[in-house]
Amino acid sequence: MTLSQADVNRIFLPATYADGVPYGLFRELRRAAPVWWVEEPPVAGWPGGTGYWAVLRHADVKHVLRSPDVFSSHLGATQVRDPDTPADLDFVRAMMLNQDPPDHSRLRRIVAGAFTPRALVELTDAVAGRVRELVAGVRPEGAADLVRLVADLPVWTLVRVMGVPEQDRQLLVDWANRVIGYQDADYAQSSTADPATLTDLGRAALAHRPTALTAPDGRPVNPRSRPALADMYAYAHGLAQAPGESRGILTRALQAGLTAEEFETMFFLFAVAGNETVRNGLPGALLTLFGHPAQYRQLRERPELTGPAVEELLRFWPPVMNIRRTAAADTELGGRPIRRGDKVVVYHASANRDETVFPEPDRLDLTRTPNDHVSFGYGPHFCVGAQLARVQLRLMVRELLDRLPGLEPDPAAGPPRRLVTNFQNGLKSLPVRWRTTG
């Protein structure tokens, strides 16, 4: 197969992912070269970009992620699309995700306090109870949208970590939708929180929500910019100043002397990034199992496989498809000369199917070991909440299989609907059904 620049550019275009991750294209690209130059044409009103180097092989992806001195998270932040203004870039650089050591290490130590072994034990017990409640609540119905069912779990968990009142947890869903799904018309203006059910603080925050999605010059407003999330940041400060009990990680963050920007972006990190891995990974895991009946049956019959099965499902359906770095110095990667300032984007979705690491990479094998997937990243930025995400995935997958007999897609309710984005591997709906007896 002869690959044109237009073929290569497809991995940037959000529309490419409307029907699924283009694993066949990734395979052809890996076979031809480990690193490719990708152009960033204008898309749906969003301006074009400078272009970037796409890193597709497992070894090169890990090399980039473990080398912050050469491939920086801080210089240009970690999204493919550049921030619109220098002020936007300065603001997002305060986020732990967009820091390099040693500043990253300082912020990570604060966040890690929410995920100590003792805290994980307590959270696991609470999550297990919530999982049982969620599944028991729908069991008599015989059908549900699995995306809606499981979406509550990571948000319910996060409000405990963050100290957010339960009445306000739907705000976290809207904020995540707007940030992660801005390329999808169904999510770009997400507003599902009912003001009547919110706390006074939640209702007050809504008054700060921007009403315009375009700047005066007609360009779309970057959904990750501070003005686009004014309601979220107003809420974060209001919550931190509210009287009463400890506010979890937020209290620790304030006591650690974070700047206003560091505090706001830490709230962002928990509210959005802490939500999306599980929210996208759980429906994706079940849809993957539905497409592999023998493996699905094996997992139903052998509960002890749940742990390794979740790792394989994460490999097969990585919730985050890519992440960006910026070259901090002239270097070479995969035989390509990389210049200081170039964007370098690693593709977890491609690395997880690298045939030099995973025998028969397109085959789902719930007993696969070792399983060196990079769905939680690698190196200094390895997901600090990975263990909690694994707990939620394992408990929910097991409860669904054990308590909903005959769980399967519900064709009468329509096909699964994918989130249209080049960043997150997500579903907007997954109608399912099951037997209510037996």
Side-chain angles (χ1 to χ4, degrees), residues 146-148 150-151 277-290 317 393 426-427 429-430:
L146 192 65
V147 171
R148 291 188 179 182
V150 304
T277 298
V278 176
R279 182 186 179 190
N280 291 328
L282 270 169
L286 269 295
L287 185 59
T288 299
L289 289 171
F290 294 154
W317 187 287
L393 290 163
L427 294 170
S429 68
L430 176 56

Side-chain angles (χ1 to χ4, degrees), residues 391-406:
V391 165
Q392 294 176 84
L393 290 163
R394 288 195 295 261
L395 289 171
M396 181 58 88
V397 167
R398 195 67 255 162
E399 189 74 5
L400 290 169
L401 269 57
D402 289 345
R403 300 294 294 163
L404 303 182

